[in-house]
Amino acid sequence: MKRFFLRSGEDVIALAPGDFTIGRSSASSWALDDVMASRKHAVLRVADDRVVLEDLGSRNGTLLNGEAITAPIELQHGDWITIGALTVSLVEEGAVSRDTLPSPRPSSVPPGPARETTDTKAGSVFDILLAACMRSLGRGDLNEASTSATSLFLALRATALRGGRLSEETLRRATQCGLTIARTTKERVWVERIVAVHQSALHVLDDQSTLELEALLERLPQGSAAPLRGYIEVLKSASHPFKSDEHRRLDRLEAVLRSFPP
């Protein structure tokens, strides 16, 4: 019988045969304190010779090696899984020595500005998803637009968490796509996705998007302020030097938070 483990930083967790659940629910095998995770987010189905990952219909999706999964999938040694801000890698005993166990990508926002990347494939994926979202919005097809936008925000966040650089234009266009859907559907999840991507990329929303977000928050049903508060706190505490106008935008959003319940 093979033995499998999850590795997060220096921590290694043994996986016993059966279901290993991950989510915000206190009943989960691994309970997360993360607003981007669903109560019942994902499950690892551990058998004698394999581990299968399944998303449980989570709101923000589950990434395998940076790609959103759409069906149960068997894992391989070294695969890394991203759920909200958590990133872990699967380790199979005997595949490599303890000293060379694979480390997952960073599970939190990097301390400085993102590295440059020449990942032209990722850039083309972003362009394709952005174009699909805008085409669907132009046709009034919110379901298709939402599907494209969900994949887009998952891909953007995965790239940012890996340390890849996201261009200002890509972030601006993605934000406009998300804001348009949010205005139409009145769903706060789009605000959460927008700020999560910007937080992961250590990027301040541009001026126009900040104005639109302020106006949108006044019209949306009031909900948790945690995602927006987390975004502001992370950026204000980051070592990356922001410009004075970027600080001004963060201050404006912080003022909006005062109308939210604590």
Side-chain angles (χ1 to χ4, degrees):
M1 182 179 76
K2 296 180 179 178
R3 296 186 66 201
F4 299 96
F5 305 84
L6 290 180
R7 177 168 181 173
S8 176
E10 296 303 316
D11 298 324
V12 178
I13 301 169
L15 295 175
D19 287 354
F20 184 92
T21 55
I22 303 174
R24 286 192 295 110
S25 170
S26 59
S28 299
S29 307
W30 191 339
L32 304 178
D33 182 14
D34 183 354
V35 295
M36 294 301 292
S38 298
R39 287 183 57 77
K40 296 180 179 179
H41 197 108
V43 60
L44 294 167
R45 304 196 188 279
V46 185
D48 288 346
D49 60 347
R50 64 176 185 162
V51 178
V52 173
L53 172 66
E54 181 179 353
D55 183 85
L56 298 176
S58 67
R59 184 168 61 174
N60 291 307
T62 300
L63 304 183
L64 176 61
N65 300 324
E67 300 290 335
I69 64 171
T70 57
I73 184 169
E74 183 173 347
L75 300 180
Q76 303 298 320
H77 170 74
D79 280 346
W80 50 282
I81 304 158
T82 302
I83 295 173
L86 172 73
T87 299
V88 295
S89 59
L90 181 78
V91 176
E92 180 184 335
E93 187 178 53
V96 289
S97 68
R98 171 70 188 222
D99 293 337
T100 56
L101 290 177
S103 295
R105 304 309 195 264
S107 61
S108 59
V109 178
R115 299 191 302 272
E116 291 285 350
T117 180
T118 56
D119 191 351
T120 55
K121 180 181 178 182
S124 65
V125 169
F126 299 156
D127 290 338
I128 291 169
L129 291 171
L130 277 164
C133 178
M134 298 312 295
R135 279 197 306 270
S136 298
L137 287 173
R139 295 195 304 267
D141 190 338
L142 276 175
N143 286 335
E144 282 297 322
S146 297
T147 298
S148 299
T150 297
S151 297
L152 171 64
F153 280 102
L154 283 170
L156 289 170
R157 192 156 186 259
T159 298
L161 288 172
R162 291 200 304 271
R165 182 178 177 81
L166 302 176
S167 73
E168 291 189 11
E169 179 62 14
T170 295
L171 285 168
R172 185 193 66 78
R173 292 172 63 200
T175 298
Q176 287 302 310
C177 180
L179 288 172
T180 300
I181 296 173
R183 278 193 294 267
T184 306
T185 63
K186 303 295 190 295
E187 294 175 345
R188 292 186 62 88
V189 65
W190 296 103
V191 173
E192 296 175 12
R193 288 170 178 168
I194 289 167
V195 298
V197 166
H198 283 77
Q199 177 178 325
S200 299
L202 284 181
H203 188 276
V204 180
L205 283 157
D206 66 85
D207 197 54
Q208 182 60 36
S209 296
T210 300
L211 287 171
E212 293 184 29
L213 182 59
E214 285 181 271
L216 180 62
L217 287 170
E218 293 178 358
R219 297 197 300 270
L220 288 179
Q222 200 164 64
S224 172
L228 185 57
R229 183 172 287 114
Y231 158 72
I232 294 169
E233 289 176 352
V234 166
L235 266 67
K236 283 200 165 187
S237 64
S239 59
H240 178 60
F242 292 110
K243 300 175 183 176
S244 59
D245 63 323
E246 291 176 320
H247 279 290
R248 175 178 52 80
R249 281 177 244 153
L250 290 173
D251 289 339
R252 275 168 36 196
L253 289 176
E254 195 167 35
V256 174
L257 282 178
R258 299 192 187 107
S259 64
F260 283 66

